[in-house]
Amino acid sequence: MHMFQSLRRNAVRWTSLALSASLVAGGALAPTGALAATRAELDNPDLIVGQGGESGTCTLAAATTMLRRAAFLNGDAGWMGVTKNAVRSVAWYPGLPWYFEFRGMVVEHDNLPAGDRISVLMKLLAEHPEGYVLYAGYTSWPHAVVVVDCIDGELQVVEPFDGSVVPLSESELVSAYNADSYWYVSSAVTPPSDDGFDKQDDAPSAQADDVAGTWLFEDGTWRYERDGEPSVGWDFIDGSWFLFDDEGSMLTGWQIVGSSWYYLLESGHMHAGWLADGDDWYYLDGSGAMARGWRLFGDTWYYMGADGRMLTGLQAVGDETYLFDDSGAMLTGWQLVDDVLSYFDEDGAMQRDVRGDDQHLSAMGVSQ
């Protein structure tokens, strides 16, 4: 386990609210009078828009849910008019653009910052009570969910597949650690009337004295000081992890700590998730440590070599031979390798003596 995980502060905990809301004609829920909506009112299932069996539209459905909730919070009496088709008419190419406007609301896209992912996602939710679209794009099956709540310290998301609300940890295709970007409403959204916490003071952070520090640029290097003392080693600053050498200089690029490699961006932020370095791909897990060996993303297996590089092509792993496509995804079934047909079982291992469809694989795994 990463040596600095023990420093992490427990995430903000919100207690679940009993559903208490006023109904308008037809049973639709709306903010009461001129008051802002409450968190309990945001539990209304009519605020959720699913894919409705339409494949390839998870980001569209997720963005529609986010915008419908934002319209509801803003007291827009026509929030039910925020539909997939309405959003599609201004923001689908196909694919969701990184910037668009809809009914006076502005939606933007950004990459997730480095650092402790749970803290980053908690902070984003505190800033966006309407929710935000969390996207995992560097997987064999890119997918999006809407982060909408936190119950007993666990983030809750809307699954566009069926409109269900589940803990993020139970989402089949998106996790805190494979997600790479998000869409959010950048225009003003009225916060719930019973918000109950100060977004700045209660945002999750790893160290209570985080706000007391100061960045200094000296002798061509960045340092971070608290009470006149420079940070040394790992330090959690403004929602991200940074690494400093024994003299307090901020480090960048590949760095080894103990037996694990980490990658610090030019800004000093610790990177997590997929990383392209030259022609090679690496994966750094949620702690920032470079991954080695087998990794499962969604329903697809990848293999990182001893040096962390993602493998592609025909590769010997242990006593077996596997085939990975150019994206690193492990392949199964009949595959053409160097113009000959080879068979890989459901676990990905090449079968060296298999008959099928008049094909026979020799001891070398090639058709004859």
Side-chain angles (χ1 to χ4, degrees), residues 319-342:
D319 296 329
E320 303 290 352
T321 300
Y322 299 85
L323 182 63
F324 305 89
D325 66 16
D326 289 342
S327 74
M330 185 192 76
L331 301 175
T332 60
W334 291 101
Q335 303 292 336
L336 197 62
V337 182
D338 295 331
D339 296 324
V340 293
L341 200 61
S342 299

Side-chain angles (χ1 to χ4, degrees), residues 130-167:
E130 71 280 5
Y132 57 91
V133 178
L134 186 63
Y135 185 63
Y138 296 106
T139 66
S140 59
W141 194 344
H143 190 56
V145 295
V146 194
V147 181
V148 295
D149 203 355
C150 181
I151 298 176
D152 294 332
E154 188 161 17
L155 289 165
Q156 308 292 308
V157 300
V158 174
E159 262 295 353
F161 282 139
D162 56 8
S164 61
V165 180
V166 299

Side-chain angles (χ1 to χ4, degrees), residues 12-314:
V12 175
R13 294 175 179 266
W14 294 336
T15 56
S16 57
L17 299 170
L19 179 62
S20 59
S22 60
L23 298 177
V24 297
L29 207 59
T32 55
L35 298 177
T38 65
R39 288 195 176 277
E41 289 175 320
L42 285 175
D43 289 339
N44 178 15
D46 287 339
L47 291 171
I48 295 175
V49 178
Q51 290 179 237
E54 185 181 7
S55 63
T57 59
C58 61
T59 54
L60 176 61
T64 303
T65 293
M66 176 182 70
L67 286 165
R68 183 175 283 196
R69 287 167 59 89
F72 182 80
L73 282 168
N74 283 339
D76 183 350
W79 58 269
M80 284 290 286
V82 181
T83 64
K84 272 176 57 181
N85 284 337
V87 176
R88 191 198 315 262
S89 68
V90 300
W92 193 249
Y93 293 104
L96 201 64
W98 288 2
Y99 177 95
F100 66 92
E101 297 182 17
F102 178 82
R103 288 174 56 164
M105 294 177 285
V106 178
V107 174
E108 296 187 52
H109 173 276
D110 203 353
N111 293 322
L112 284 170
D116 173 42
R117 276 299 173 82
I118 297 300
S119 293
V120 167
L121 298 179
M122 288 281 195
K123 180 177 281 188
L124 284 174
L125 182 60
E127 296 169 352
H128 298 283
E130 71 280 5
Y132 57 91
V133 178
L134 186 63
Y135 185 63
Y138 296 106
T139 66
S140 59
W141 194 344
H143 190 56
V145 295
V146 194
V147 181
V148 295
D149 203 355
C150 181
I151 298 176
D152 294 332
E154 188 161 17
L155 289 165
Q156 308 292 308
V157 300
V158 174
E159 262 295 353
F161 282 139
D162 56 8
S164 61
V165 180
V166 299
L168 176 59
S169 60
E170 296 180 12
S171 174
E172 294 184 4
L173 297 175
V174 180
S175 74
Y177 305 116
N178 73 357
D180 53 87
S181 63
Y182 65 104
W183 281 268
Y184 63 100
V185 178
S186 61
S187 53
V189 176
T190 304
S193 59
D194 57 348
D195 220 1
F197 66 94
D198 183 281
K199 292 180 174 58
Q200 182 64 37
D201 293 342
D202 285 352
S205 61
Q207 295 173 306
D209 58 352
D210 184 39
V211 297
T214 302
W215 282 104
L216 300 172
F217 189 73
E218 298 176 343
D219 300 326
T221 187
W222 284 99
R223 304 172 188 276
Y224 192 77
E225 292 188 356
R226 290 189 179 86
D227 297 325
E229 293 295 324
S231 292
V232 174
W234 290 108
D235 201 347
F236 192 74
I237 304 168
D238 294 331
S240 297
W241 287 102
F242 295 79
L243 182 62
F244 301 86
D245 65 17
D246 292 342
E247 296 180 352
S249 295
M250 185 188 78
L251 300 174
T252 61
W254 287 106
Q255 303 291 335
I256 188 167
V257 179
S259 60
S260 297
W261 284 95
Y262 301 84
Y263 190 84
L264 293 307
L265 304 177
E266 287 298 317
S267 62
H269 293 76
M270 184 196 77
H271 183 75
W274 287 106
L275 172 71
D277 188 9
D279 295 329
D280 298 313
W281 282 92
Y282 300 82
Y283 187 79
L284 300 111
D285 64 24
S287 72
M290 183 186 74
R292 298 182 177 92
W294 290 103
R295 287 292 186 273
L296 179 66
F297 299 108
D299 57 356
T300 302
W301 285 99
Y302 298 77
Y303 191 85
M304 314 298 163
D307 59 359
R309 287 183 297 177
M310 181 190 76
L311 300 186
T312 60
L314 197 64

